[in-house]
Amino acid sequence: MTAFNEQSRQQVCDIVEEMKDLPGAMLPILHAIQDAQGYIHADAVSIIADGLAQSRAEVHGVITFYHHFRTTPPGKHTIQVCRAEACQSMGSRQLEAHVKEKLGIGFHQTSADQQVSLEPVYCLGNCACAPSIQVNDDVVGRVTPSKFDQLVDQLSTQALEVK
Amino acid sequence: MVKVYIPRDTTALAMGAERLAAEMAVEAKNRGADIEIVRNSSRGMFWLEPLVEVETANGRVAYGPVEAKDIDSLFDADFVNGGLSHPLCQGLTEEIPYLKKQQRLTFARAGITDPVSLEDYQAHDGFKGLKKHWKCPVRPSLMKLKTPACVAVVVLPSLPASSGRLYTMRLHRVMLRRNTSFVTPTKVTPVPSLTVWSWKLTHSC
Ligand code: FES
Ligand code: FES
């Protein structure tokens, strides 16, 4: 796990300070932290709890209730596979099996090279063109195993170009 | 300048509209075609996304589903002038049976307007209700308005009608990308104050 250094601590404090007076501040704060740091470190919990005058248990409860929030660093890319009704009716279970085999990991896992994290998701709002997946910030529709392979290959090509 | 519409809603994007728009702009330049690409919202015919529409004298002509690999053949088939010979051509958009047999009310302008153009919004009856409201002697203290995704109208009811001022602000680009459908109800809650203009915007769906 990457260290929760002074800089990340400060960033969490700043976010909490800035947003704590919003009505229903907990979720916006959690989103902001995850957007900035990729996950919510265990040490951030007490900062959030103090800022909102709530117990750590309450913060922990919210974080663990929503699958969107993660408590470990994600891989370089996050792939979400839709498991909701429309996608299932269009073959997402077979796609899911293919995805797991191709990446060699299951849901909530990150590949050994830290490149890809795999997460389930329940409806991406793209039912009409199911099955859907989301690759980082982009929703992709009518995904077939071969289309998926292409997408993953593109991800790794990009990663190589960066170096 | 010919207007070419390429949607930017979730499904169109999921079917490759972003790459399509970028590559079409490049190809248009290469061929010296004078087109303006407008990123509208979807007409709701998702099986045809990305649905490319071209403005012609007879109305918009539709092509779909268009992929980046079809760009060359579209130009060859003179789609810029509404050429009907391309295999993906669906004819006049308004004549597509699925659309034609619908009576649209809240979605009447979905896919028609340019969501980031205030002029276009006004050309399609935008602000009519607001103008009417403004003339009305008794104004409610809180307004909930349906506005295009890019523009929120904030009325500060605490001010006397004579100061008659409208505040418009452009929403964050991220929101624009996420939802270009003008029918997204945007709840605008002004916080009345004579010194500070503050307001709260929430997409309520
Ligand atoms: S069920 Fe998968 S996008 Fe809606
Ligand atoms: S229920 Fe999935 S997009 Fe509407």
Side-chain angles (χ1 to χ4, degrees), chain A residues 123 125-127:
Chain A
C123 197
N126 190 43
C127 294

Short mmCIF file of all heavy atoms in Angstrom, two decimals, chain A residues 123 125-127, ligand 2:
data_model
loop_
_atom_site.label_atom_id
_atom_site.label_comp_id
_atom_site.label_asym_id
_atom_site.label_seq_id
_atom_site.Cartn_x
_atom_site.Cartn_y
_atom_site.Cartn_z
N CYS A 123 -25.56 -1.30 -13.58
CA CYS A 123 -26.14 -0.36 -14.56
C CYS A 123 -25.31 0.91 -14.73
O CYS A 123 -25.11 1.67 -13.81
CB CYS A 123 -27.59 0.01 -14.29
SG CYS A 123 -28.33 0.73 -15.79
N GLY A 125 -26.25 3.03 -17.09
CA GLY A 125 -27.13 3.95 -17.81
C GLY A 125 -27.01 3.80 -19.30
O GLY A 125 -27.29 4.71 -20.07
N ASN A 126 -26.58 2.64 -19.74
CA ASN A 126 -26.37 2.43 -21.17
C ASN A 126 -27.06 1.14 -21.61
O ASN A 126 -26.57 0.42 -22.48
CB ASN A 126 -24.86 2.37 -21.44
CG ASN A 126 -24.55 2.39 -22.91
OD1 ASN A 126 -25.13 3.16 -23.67
ND2 ASN A 126 -23.63 1.54 -23.35
N CYS A 127 -28.20 0.84 -20.98
CA CYS A 127 -28.88 -0.44 -21.23
C CYS A 127 -29.18 -0.69 -22.70
O CYS A 127 -29.14 -1.83 -23.16
CB CYS A 127 -30.19 -0.50 -20.46
SG CYS A 127 -29.98 -0.51 -18.68
S1 FES C 2 -32.38 1.37 -16.46
FE1 FES C 2 -30.42 1.16 -17.35
S2 FES C 2 -30.25 2.90 -18.60
FE2 FES C 2 -32.17 3.16 -17.73
#
